C-alpha cells in the first residue's frame, strides 16, 4: 500500500493554498465532526485504487469503486458499474442490482426507469422492492413531487398518484409539475393553472403564452419572443421586456437581456443589474455568477462573497458549495473558507448529510449523518 496522508496532501497542495484567494479553515469541522482526512492510494488492486480515511470515525466512507454515483435520494444512491445502473445504500450495500440502462433517482419511494436500451422504449416507476407501479408503462415518466407524478401517453400528459391511479386525466398538451399548489397547463386552445385536484384556472389571452413553472406566486409569460411576470391572478407584474426570466427563489428571479444576466424582485424591480455572463438561482442566501469563464458568489444586494476567480462554483446546499480550482474540486463554507480541500476530480453537492466524489474516474461517497451539532 502507498499512503498519501492528508498532512502530505496539504504540503503537496501548499502552493495552491497559498496562491488561492480563499483561506483554508484550520481544523475544519461540520456538524461537530472533524473533516480532516487522508487519501490512501491502493496498489496491486484491480478495481479499487483509492480510499478516504477520516480522523473522526463517525464519518463513514464507501468504496471508491463505481463508474458514477448520484447524490443521495430517499437514503439510496444511484450507482453505475459496467455500463448499467443500480442502487446502493449508505452502508455501501447493493440494494438493487445493476440491470438498468436508464434509471432516475428515488423520490417519494419511486424511481423512473426505461424498460429497454432504446430511448423510445416504454418507461415506468419502480419501487424499492423492484415492483412496477400499477403494472403500467408510459411513453414518458417524470419524478414524483408532492405525491403526484407526470406521465405521457400518445403525446398527452396527466398525473398519477403513488398508487398508480390516474388522478388528473391524461389529456393535456403540456403540463408542469405542481409546485406551490399549482402547475402550468396547455390544452387545445386553452392555458392556465392546474391544482392537484384537477381544478383549472383559465388564462384567456390571444397573444400571451404561459411558460415555465409556477413558483412563489408568480408565472412567467411570453409575448413576441420577450418574457414578463404575472401573479397567480394573471395580473402583470413586469411587462415582457426580457429575453429570458427564470423562476423565483428566495424572493428573487434571474433574467437575461441581450447576453447579460441580472435579478428582479417580486415587484419587477431590477435589484441586481445585468452584468453577468451566467448565473444560478439564489440558494441559502447566495447565488453563483460568472463573468467570462470565471465564477464567484453574490448576496441579494449584489455584493461579492467571492469575486469571479474560479472555474466553477455551485449553489450552496446545507451550508456548503462546490468550488473548482486548477481542475480539482472541494467544499467551501459561507465564510468563503475551504473546509474540504480541492482534491477531487468530480464532486456532487452535499445533500442530506452525504456527498459523492470521484478520484481518477472512480466514485465513492462520504456519510456525515452520525455527526452532531
Amino acid at each position: 500500500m502507498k499512503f498519501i496522508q492528508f498532512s502530505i496532501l496539504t504540503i503537496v497542495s501548499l502552493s495552491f493554498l497559498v496562491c488561492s484567494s480563499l483561506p483554508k479553515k484550520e481544523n475544519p469541522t461540520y456538524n461537530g465532526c472533524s473533516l480532516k482526512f487522508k487519501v490512501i492510494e491502493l496498489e496491486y488492486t484491480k478495481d479499487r485504487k483509492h480510499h478516504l480515511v477520516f480522523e473522526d470515525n463517525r464519518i463513514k466512507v464507501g468504496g471508491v469503486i463505481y463508474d458514477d454515483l448520484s447524490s443521495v435520494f430517499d437514503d439510496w444512491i444511484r450507482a453505475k458499474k459496467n455500463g448499467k445502473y443500480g442502487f446502493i445504500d449508505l452502508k455501501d450495500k447493493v440494494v438493487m442490482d445493476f440491470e438498468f440502462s436508464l434509471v432516475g433517482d428515488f423520490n417519494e419511494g419511486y424511481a423512473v426507469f426505461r424498460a429497454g436500451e432504446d430511448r423510445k422504449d416504454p418507461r415506468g416507476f419502480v419501487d424499492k422492492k423492484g415492483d412496477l407501479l400499477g403494472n403500467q408503462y408510459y411513453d414518458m415518466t417524470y419524478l414524483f413531487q408532492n405525491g403526484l407524478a407526470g406521465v405521457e401517453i400518445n403525446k398527452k400528459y396527466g398525473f398519477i398518484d403513488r398508487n398508480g391511479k390516474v388522478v388528473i386525466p391524461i389529456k393535456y398538451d403540456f403540463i408542469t409539475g405542481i409546485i406551490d399548489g399549482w402547475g402550468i397547463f396547455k390544452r387545445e386552445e386553452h392555458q392556465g393553472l392546474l391544482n392537484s385536484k384537477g381544478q383549472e384556472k383559465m388564462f384567456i389571452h390571444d397573444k400571451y403564452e404561459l411558460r415555465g413553472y409556477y413558483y412563489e406566486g408568480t408565472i412567467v409569460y411570453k409575448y413576441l419572443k420577450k418574457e414578463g411576470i404575472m401573479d397567480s391572478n394573471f395580473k402583470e407584474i413586469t411587462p415582457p421586456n426580457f429575453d429570458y426570466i427564470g423562476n423565483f427563489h428566495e424572493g428573487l428571479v434571474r433574467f437575461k437581456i441581450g447576453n447579460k444576466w441580472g435579478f428582479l424582485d417580486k415587484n419587477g424591480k431590477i435589484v441586481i443589474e445585468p452584468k453577468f455572463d451566467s448565473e444560478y438561482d439564489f440558494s441559502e442566501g447566495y447565488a453563483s455568477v460568472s463573468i467570462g469563464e470565471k465564477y464567484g458568489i453574490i448576496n441579494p444586494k449584489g455584493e461579492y462573497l467571492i469575486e469571479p476567480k474560479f472555474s466553477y462554483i455551485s449553489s450552496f446546499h446545507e451550508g456548503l458549495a462546490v468550488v473548482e480550482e486548477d481542475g480539482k474540486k472541494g467544499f467551501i463554507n459561507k465564510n468563503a473558507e475551504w473546509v474540504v480541500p480541492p482534491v477531487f476530480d468530480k464532486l456532487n453537492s452535499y445533500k442530506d448529510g452525504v456527498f459523492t466524489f470521484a478520484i481518477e474516474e472512480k466514485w465513492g461517497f462520504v456519510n456525515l449523518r452520525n455527526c452532531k451539532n
Side-chain angles (χ1 to χ4, degrees):
M1 288 188 180
K2 180 181 178 182
F3 294 88
I4 306 179
Q5 296 191 15
F6 180 68
S7 58
I8 297 176
L9 276 175
T10 304
I11 295 171
V12 170
S13 304
L14 186 58
S15 60
F16 161 81
L17 292 171
V18 169
C19 294
S20 174
S21 58
L22 301 182
K24 173 183 174 291
K25 184 176 177 61
E26 295 299 327
N27 301 315
T29 62
Y30 191 83
N31 282 356
C33 276
S34 170
L35 293 182
K36 288 185 176 181
F37 65 92
K38 58 186 176 182
V39 177
I40 301 174
E41 184 175 335
L42 305 172
E43 295 180 345
Y44 313 116
T45 59
K46 181 179 179 180
D47 298 322
R48 185 170 177 166
K49 296 182 178 179
H50 297 89
H51 185 59
L52 267 62
V53 178
F54 282 80
E55 291 184 2
D56 196 320
N57 60 17
R58 291 174 295 177
I59 299 176
K60 306 302 179 184
V61 182
V64 189
I65 59 174
Y66 302 99
D67 298 328
D68 190 26
L69 289 179
S70 72
S71 297
V72 62
F73 289 87
D74 282 4
D75 294 335
W76 282 14
I77 299 173
R78 177 167 45 92
K80 185 179 183 181
K81 289 186 76 173
N82 301 319
K84 293 287 188 178
Y85 292 94
F87 290 89
I88 60 174
D89 64 15
L90 297 182
K91 295 182 180 179
D92 208 8
K93 177 183 177 182
V94 175
V95 289
M96 192 168 284
D97 289 336
F98 295 91
E99 59 184 12
F100 297 96
S101 61
L102 180 69
V103 65
D105 298 308
F106 272 91
N107 198 56
E108 299 187 11
Y110 291 95
V112 300
F113 75 98
R114 188 174 65 199
E117 300 287 341
D118 193 278
R119 64 181 181 85
K120 295 182 180 180
D121 285 332
R123 306 184 184 214
F125 298 88
V126 62
D127 66 16
K128 287 190 172 183
K129 295 180 180 179
D131 295 330
L132 176 66
L133 176 63
N135 199 32
Q136 176 69 49
Y137 286 102
Y138 306 89
D139 296 334
M140 187 63 72
T141 51
Y142 302 89
L143 60 81
F144 273 93
Q145 292 178 296
N146 303 313
L148 299 178
V151 295
E152 176 190 351
I153 297 178
N154 296 326
K155 297 183 180 180
K156 296 293 183 180
Y157 300 85
F159 283 99
I160 64 171
D161 64 17
R162 282 181 287 194
N163 294 315
K165 178 183 176 182
V166 175
V167 292
I168 295 179
I170 303 172
K171 65 179 183 179
Y172 293 92
D173 300 313
F174 171 84
I175 198 169
T176 69
I178 295 176
I179 300 171
D180 294 340
W182 296 94
I184 308 294
F185 80 85
K186 296 176 184 177
R187 176 172 50 81
E188 298 172 346
E189 73 277 13
H190 305 296
Q191 60 180 332
L193 293 174
L194 177 75
N195 67 18
S196 60
K197 296 180 180 180
Q199 297 170 329
E200 297 179 354
K201 185 188 292 188
M202 303 294 292
F203 173 59
I204 309 299
H205 202 290
D206 59 355
K207 295 182 180 180
Y208 290 170
E209 177 188 359
L210 304 184
R211 59 156 298 273
Y213 287 80
Y214 177 80
Y215 265 92
E216 297 188 10
T218 62
I219 310 162
V220 176
Y221 70 97
K222 192 170 187 176
Y223 173 66
L224 297 178
K225 298 184 179 181
K226 295 290 186 177
E227 297 186 353
I229 305 171
M230 298 177 180
D231 65 18
S232 59
N233 294 315
F234 309 119
K235 180 181 178 181
E236 184 180 275
I237 297 173
T238 300
N241 295 330
F242 303 92
D243 294 310
Y244 177 85
I245 298 177
N247 296 303
F248 274 93
H249 290 268
E250 300 184 3
L252 296 176
V253 63
R254 58 196 182 99
F255 71 88
K256 185 179 183 182
I257 293 180
N259 294 319
K260 296 298 180 180
W261 294 81
F263 286 90
L264 299 168
D265 66 14
K266 286 194 173 180
N267 295 316
K269 178 184 176 182
I270 295 176
V271 293
I272 299 176
E273 294 292 330
K275 62 180 181 180
F276 303 109
D277 294 311
S278 69
E279 60 192 20
Y280 291 92
D281 295 317
F282 271 88
S283 174
E284 299 183 10
Y286 295 96
S288 176
V289 298
S290 74
I291 293 179
E293 297 182 354
K294 297 298 183 180
Y295 283 80
I297 297 177
I298 60 172
N299 66 18
K301 295 180 180 180
E303 300 166 336
Y304 284 118
L305 174 69
I306 300 173
E307 293 187 0
K309 295 181 179 181
F310 295 92
S311 52
Y312 172 76
I313 301 180
S314 76
S315 301
F316 276 104
H317 292 273
E318 300 181 38
L320 300 178
V322 178
V323 177
E324 178 179 336
E325 189 166 43
D326 293 339
K328 300 292 184 179
K329 295 181 178 180
F331 284 116
I332 64 166
N333 61 20
K334 291 184 180 180
N335 294 321
E337 301 169 315
W338 292 106
V339 293
V340 173
V343 297
F344 301 107
D345 296 311
K346 297 178 183 178
L347 184 63
N348 286 329
S349 294
Y350 183 74
K351 181 180 182 295
D352 295 340
V354 178
F355 68 86
T356 55
F357 65 89
I359 298 176
E360 294 183 6
E361 302 303 322
K362 289 298 182 180
W363 285 79
F365 70 87
V366 174
N367 179 3
L368 285 79
R369 288 190 178 183
N370 289 330
C371 298
K372 304 295 182 181
N373 284 313

